């Protein structure tokens, strides 16, 4: 099964800065989703972008999708200490209700 | 809060034992997926249940089995536990296919299993 792979895997930034994470995948997808996980707890859905969309915004989040390069990026603007977490991209294939997750990006926002 | 609850939150077992993990799905969701997350890794798909039947399985051996009940709650059973089974087990509920489901998952907080 395909898997998203995030780059970079660990990011440390100052509060107020922007954080950018990238994700690549291998086959055609139905949609791509980003999730957040705090300290080994459950994952929380952040944003979904469909294969026919190129950019989407939700609050301080901006996600882009380039299907020709099979890659996506997640931008968190004006980061806060509370944004400290692991961020995962996950891809959903057509006709398939399962998600394939990447290894995750650990983001630390320093107050 | 997603409305998905899992139990127990933590448990310790010894190699060779069996374990049952439980999950209550969010109201209105008829699909439950189970994922295994090893330390420092992303979640790996174990299997999914839709309307009480297995509806897809990942690369896990048969000693990983599950059930879904008429109220859409679910169990994950693991027999003959191995040390590598130590992980966070996540349950996620969602709407089934054909109801505008985009595949967004609603996760519980997980059950952390340690195998000694």
């Amino acid at each position: 099964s395909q898997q998203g792979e995030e780059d970079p895997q660990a990011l440390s930034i100052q509060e107020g800065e922007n954080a950018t994470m990238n994700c690549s995948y291998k086959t055609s997808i139905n949609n791509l989703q980003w999730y957040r996980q705090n300290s080994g707890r459950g994952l929380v859905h952040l944003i979904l972008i469909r294969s026919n969309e190129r950019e989407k915004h939700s609050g301080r989040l901006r996600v882009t999708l380039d299907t020709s390069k099979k890659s996506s990026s997640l931008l968190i603007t004006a980061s806060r200490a509370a944004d400290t977490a692991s961020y995962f991209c996950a891809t959903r294939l057509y006709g398939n209700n399962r998600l394939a997750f990447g290894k995750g990006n650990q983001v630390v926002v320093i107050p | 809060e997603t409305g998905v609850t899992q139990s127990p939150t933590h448990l310790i077992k010894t190699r060779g034992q069996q374990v049952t993990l439980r999950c209550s799905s969010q109201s209105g969701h008829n699909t439950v997926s189970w994922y295994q997350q090893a330390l420092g890794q992303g979640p790996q798909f174990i299997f999914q249940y839709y309307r009480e039947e297995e509806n897809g399985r990942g690369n896990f051996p048969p000693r990983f089995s599950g059930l879904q009940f008429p109220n859409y709650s679910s169990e994950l059973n693991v027999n003959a536990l191995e040390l590598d089974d130590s992980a966070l087990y996540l349950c996620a509920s969602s709407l089934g296919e054909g109801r505008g489901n985009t595949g967004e998952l609603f996760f519980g907080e997980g059950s952390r299993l340690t195998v000694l």
Side-chain angles (χ1 to χ4, degrees), chain B residues 46-62:
Chain B
I46 303 175
F47 45 55
Q48 180 184 91
Y49 280 84
Y50 172 64
R51 293 184 176 178
E52 302 179 55
E53 292 192 1
E54 188 177 292
N55 180 39
R57 187 178 184 93
N59 189 25
F60 281 81

Side-chain angles (χ1 to χ4, degrees), chain A:
Chain A
S1 59
Q2 70 171 55
Q3 223 173 9
E5 294 190 358
E6 293 90 348
D7 176 10
Q9 294 196 343
L11 184 63
S12 182
I13 57 174
Q14 295 288 330
E15 200 166 33
E17 292 181 338
N18 296 342
T20 301
M21 290 156 269
N22 298 308
C23 168
S24 60
Y25 55 93
K26 296 176 182 173
T27 62
S28 296
I29 60 172
N30 179 309
N31 63 57
L32 185 144
Q33 304 177 30
W34 285 89
Y35 287 79
R36 165 196 169 121
Q37 184 178 40
N38 284 26
S39 301
R41 299 183 65 187
L43 281 77
V44 176
H45 180 265
L46 294 176
I47 194 166
L48 177 152
I49 187 164
R50 293 180 172 83
S51 60
N52 61 353
E53 297 176 316
R54 292 298 167 258
E55 186 172 317
K56 204 164 183 181
H57 297 254
S58 176
R60 293 184 296 114
L61 304 178
R62 171 179 170 257
V63 64
T64 62
L65 180 65
D66 186 335
T67 53
S68 66
K69 295 181 179 178
K70 293 187 170 58
S71 67
S72 173
S73 68
L74 174 68
L75 168 68
I76 304 174
T77 60
S79 63
R80 305 167 182 169
D83 294 330
T84 295
S86 292
Y87 293 83
F88 294 89
C89 75
T91 54
R92 184 188 182 216
L93 305 183
Y94 287 100
N96 191 319
N97 203 20
R98 71 183 70 175
L99 292 182
F101 285 85
K103 295 180 180 179
N105 261 292
Q106 188 172 359
V107 175
V108 175
V109 181
I110 302 167

Side-chain angles (χ1 to χ4, degrees), chain B residues 12-19 63 78-82 115:
Chain B
I12 300 173
K13 293 285 189 177
T14 56
R15 197 169 47 183
Q17 285 188 313
Q18 179 266 343
V19 68
R63 61 188 184 83
V78 186
N79 294 322
L81 283 168
E82 301 177 359
V115 182

